Amino acid sequence: MHEHVLKRIEEENSEQDVWIVGPATGRMLHWLVRVLAPDVALEIGTSVGYSAVWIASALDKNQRGQLWTIESHEERYGRAQKNIEEAGLTHRIFQLKGHAPEIFTENPALPEQIDFAFFDATKQEHQSYFDAIFPRMKSGGMIVVDNVLSHRFGKMQQFIDAAHANSELKVVEIPVGDGLLIARVV
């Protein structure tokens, strides 16, 4: 059911950039979630819901888990809501409107334990996202960060270096889409 929604969003993105991860990264996120089978997934940067649909469809195939997805932009939040509904995945996704990381202190309903986190929001804020969620990450959990090749120099370099230096993470970077950093919590 969700494939037509993904295809439509891809077509919309070719006409006007709506900040999606693209099909290769979407498939990788889907695969990682299928393998990890998280109970709680978190996405920072919903945009129009493209990656949320990929992640939630994997949760749905696993027949378990919930995705909490955060978006601060009003119009993109609304578009994501419609796309998620059209994909038939509202039962797997909790949408939150707000700015990360502040939303973690403002929303007591957020889960205390996170198995899988995906960062695809304001690049220079990734360290603050990490600082907010890391205390909630389960041992063996996974943090995936988009755009580590396309935005490496400048906005994300300090965060990438810190992730590699963190002894509590096992980190790999892969050249999928605009580059993914995949960190497993030790």
Side-chain angles (χ1 to χ4, degrees):
M1 175 187 263
H2 65 275
E3 290 85 2
H4 73 282
V5 175
L6 294 171
K7 188 57 80 181
R8 181 182 46 72
I9 295 171
E10 290 165 13
E11 290 168 5
E12 290 171 359
N13 190 60
S14 68
E15 296 167 13
Q16 177 188 9
D17 191 10
V18 291
W19 297 352
I20 66 170
V21 297
T25 300
R27 284 190 297 275
M28 178 57 73
L29 290 169
H30 188 271
W31 182 81
L32 288 168
V33 171
R34 285 299 311 268
V35 170
L36 187 63
D39 289 319
V40 177
L42 170 73
E43 174 184 48
I44 300 175
T46 315
S47 185
V48 297
Y50 183 81
S51 50
V53 170
W54 277 107
I55 293 167
S57 67
L59 294 171
D60 214 39
K61 285 186 179 179
N62 289 347
Q63 299 182 338
R64 65 185 281 190
Q66 296 293 317
L67 170 64
W68 296 72
T69 186
I70 301 167
E71 177 59 50
S72 62
H73 188 272
E74 184 75 36
E75 191 262 338
R76 288 192 297 266
Y77 177 90
R79 286 176 70 181
Q81 190 171 37
K82 289 176 186 171
N83 289 330
I84 290 164
E85 287 172 7
E86 186 180 338
L89 292 167
T90 56
H91 64 291
R92 292 281 174 207
I93 299 175
F94 296 105
Q95 273 189 275
L96 299 170
K97 182 164 181 325
H99 182 260
E102 292 86 358
I103 202 161
F104 293 100
T105 56
E106 296 167 0
N107 193 327
L110 276 165
E112 287 298 316
Q113 298 257 297
I114 300 168
D115 303 296
F116 178 89
F118 177 56
F119 296 1
D120 190 24
T122 307
K123 306 310 174 202
Q124 62 267 24
E125 295 181 0
H126 278 25
Q127 189 63 51
S128 63
Y129 306 153
F130 179 85
D131 293 343
I133 68 137
F134 191 71
R136 297 172 185 247
M137 291 298 300
K138 285 185 181 176
S139 178
M142 186 177 291
I143 300 169
V144 180
V145 181
D146 194 25
N147 303 113
V148 296
L149 292 177
S150 63
H151 291 72
R152 175 176 218 91
F153 300 106
K155 294 181 180 179
M156 291 184 64
Q157 189 65 58
Q158 190 172 359
F159 170 76
I160 294 167
D161 291 344
H164 280 285
N166 188 324
S167 63
E168 296 180 273
L169 300 174
K170 298 288 184 191
V171 179
V172 65
E173 292 180 47
I174 59 173
V176 172
D178 289 330
L180 292 174
L181 179 144
I182 302 171
R184 192 78 187 251
V185 179
V186 177

